[in-house]
Amino acid sequence: MLSSTSRARRIWLPDVARSSVLLDFLLPAFVGTSTTRPFSYSSQCRSRIGNAPVSIPAEVNLRLLEPPPKRRVASRVEPPQIIEVEGPLGKMSMAIPTYMTLDQNLETRKAILKIPDRKERKQREMWGTTRAYLQNHVLGVSEGHNAILRLVGVGFRASVETTATTVKPEYPGQQYVSLKVGYSHPIELGLPRGVKASTPQPTRILLEGTDKEAVNQFAAEIRMWRKPEPYKGKGIFVNGETIRLKAKKIK
């Protein structure tokens, strides 16, 4: 029988029968487990990249091409819109979704992408992505994109050749990057279309092109042949890539 000084309460718990009697000093331990606490009380700060205007240089022309005429056969997928970007370094085109519109101000040389419904998740995601692609295309045809690779290691060197013995040319006039990074066989990589390569130093490779994706993808393919390792710091580094050295293993 409980004394008068210790009061008892009857509560319902999933693991305890309803007839169970708990003392007051045990109640906070059970009741507090059901309360949840938010991770952060600050409001969400969403990205506004899609709403940012794209600056168009004076020597760059940007235009929205009309979609092709619809076919007689009914199709559920609508053809995307095509944006053509032309500059001193070349011409590029990209596709944008049909629900997206392009507003271009010729006086201020600004272009803004707009979407009809900002509450829809798919449109918000493609909004910022499409704007980033458009900005890269404008910079590509006006200034160009580049990637610098550093070869770190004893005897590592690279050169640009006009012929290759291990691979066949994919298009006429294709050049090849020849690597010597510690393998017994020659490594020859063909340059993709629109990408130029040069070797200012035997341990440096400079890639240039109008398409940022093609330049960085080819740089990643070169890096795959000798990834940077953390014990001696050897490998192929892209742009400002660094690696933290680990302590040597001592047996």
Side-chain angles (χ1 to χ4, degrees), residues 59-99:
E59 63 275 8
V60 176
N61 295 324
L62 182 67
R63 59 175 182 171
L64 182 63
L65 302 180
E66 296 182 359
K70 295 183 179 181
R71 300 179 180 179
R72 295 182 178 180
V73 181
S75 177
R76 296 183 179 179
V77 180
E78 296 183 4
Q81 305 178 81
I82 304 298
I83 295 180
E84 187 179 74
V85 186
E86 185 176 1
L89 298 182
K91 181 190 296 184
M92 300 183 67
S93 61
M94 59 174 292
I96 64 173
T98 55
Y99 53 79

Side-chain angles (χ1 to χ4, degrees), residues 75-179:
S75 177
R76 296 183 179 179
V77 180
E78 296 183 4
Q81 305 178 81
I82 304 298
I83 295 180
E84 187 179 74
V85 186
E86 185 176 1
L89 298 182
K91 181 190 296 184
M92 300 183 67
S93 61
M94 59 174 292
I96 64 173
T98 55
Y99 53 79
M100 204 170 291
T101 58
L102 178 67
D103 291 345
Q104 185 176 358
N105 192 336
L106 298 179
E107 296 180 359
T108 59
R109 305 291 297 178
K110 301 284 186 180
I112 300 178
L113 289 171
K114 295 183 178 180
I115 56 176
D117 188 5
R118 298 188 180 185
K119 295 182 180 180
E120 189 173 346
R121 180 178 179 180
K122 181 65 176 179
Q123 294 187 13
R124 290 200 315 269
E125 293 173 349
M126 294 304 300
W127 193 21
T129 302
T130 307
R131 190 265 175 194
Y133 271 106
L134 181 59
Q135 179 69 33
N136 291 338
H137 282 48
V138 172
L139 292 178
V141 297
S142 59
E143 302 176 3
H145 300 285
N146 57 60
I148 302 174
L149 292 87
R150 297 181 294 111
L151 280 67
V152 180
V154 178
F156 287 9
R157 60 184 183 273
S159 61
V160 179
E161 307 293 341
T162 57
T163 58
T165 58
T166 59
V167 293
K168 296 181 179 180
E170 299 177 357
Y171 58 89
Q174 185 181 22
Q175 293 184 338
Y176 306 88
V177 175
S178 178
L179 300 176

